[in-house]
Amino acid sequence: MTIESILGQLDQLEKLHRSLLRIANEKTVLIKQNDISGLDQLLKDEQAHLAAILQTDKARETAVVAFFTEQGRPVPLQPTITDVLNIIQEPEHTQLKEAKDRLLHAIHELKWQNDLNQKLTYQSLQFVNLSLDMVRPRTESVNYSKNEVQGNPTTKKLASFDSQA
């Protein structure tokens, strides 16, 4: 395998992550609009993208293993692009590093957008809970008071001796 096949896998991963970022941006809009059915559809699309990303990443790993095998080098336990960068020369080194950096940038943007969506969803949930608490009737406490637990009666004892008799 040549570096071009690894580059192709990285480009495909970047495209998939950019597409996933587009979905995350759409989710932000739908969360703000409280469109549950639209969110449901986007979640299904997101699952399909995640499956494609996993498949492409396995293909990338296979390409890296094949590259190490063709070079006659020992294959690392979990081969990474950094392992390949450590053994290749220019101009492939620069191309591979740029592809890796583009992919990492897309992943960081996606992570930031997903964090925003998580915060928006949490705030929505807090608002729903607050609204429910305002509408829901409050039940009286069924616990005993301190005096009842300790056995102190709340009424005064009357004296049994009447001095005026």
Side-chain angles (χ1 to χ4, degrees):
M1 286 258 154
T2 61
I3 294 297
E4 286 78 28
S5 63
I6 297 172
L7 284 170
Q9 297 299 327
L10 286 179
D11 288 340
Q12 183 64 25
L13 281 170
E14 181 188 359
K15 287 177 187 174
L16 287 169
H17 278 86
R18 293 280 175 204
S19 180
L20 203 55
L21 178 61
R22 180 190 51 78
I23 291 173
N25 288 328
E26 289 176 14
K27 275 190 348 187
T28 303
V29 172
L30 293 178
I31 290 171
K32 289 178 182 178
Q33 294 173 349
N34 199 22
D35 183 2
I36 303 301
S37 62
L39 274 173
D40 188 42
Q41 182 58 43
L42 281 181
L43 289 175
K44 290 176 185 173
D45 293 345
E46 189 177 55
Q47 290 299 318
H49 276 73
L50 291 176
I53 286 173
L54 286 174
Q55 183 180 10
T56 306
D57 192 50
K58 286 184 187 221
R60 180 221 32 102
E61 188 174 333
T62 302
V64 170
V65 167
F67 177 77
F68 274 99
T69 304
E70 286 179 3
Q71 296 290 318
R73 297 180 181 263
V75 179
L77 185 60
Q78 291 185 344
T80 63
I81 298 302
T82 304
D83 294 333
V84 176
L85 284 171
N86 289 335
I87 64 170
I88 62 172
Q89 302 298 319
E90 293 297 331
E92 291 93 4
H93 186 274
T94 304
Q95 292 173 338
L96 194 59
K97 183 163 177 22
E98 288 173 357
K100 176 187 167 194
D101 290 342
R102 285 191 312 269
L103 176 60
L104 287 176
H105 183 69
I107 291 171
H108 288 295
E109 285 182 44
L110 180 61
K111 183 181 181 320
W112 184 86
Q113 191 64 41
N114 281 336
D115 286 343
L116 175 65
N117 287 344
Q118 182 181 8
K119 289 174 185 173
L120 287 173
T121 304
Y122 182 72
Q123 285 178 351
S124 254
L125 185 60
Q126 282 182 322
F127 179 75
V128 168
N129 284 332
L130 177 68
S131 298
L132 284 174
D133 285 344
M134 292 174 70
V135 173
R136 191 179 317 145
R138 296 182 189 258
T139 58
E140 292 297 319
S141 176
V142 293
N143 295 336
Y144 293 105
S145 67
K146 182 178 176 183
N147 289 337
E148 290 171 340
V149 170
Q150 292 177 349
N152 295 338
T154 57
T155 60
K156 293 182 180 180
K157 288 186 177 180
L158 296 175
S160 60
F161 179 74
D162 189 9
S163 62
Q164 294 198 7

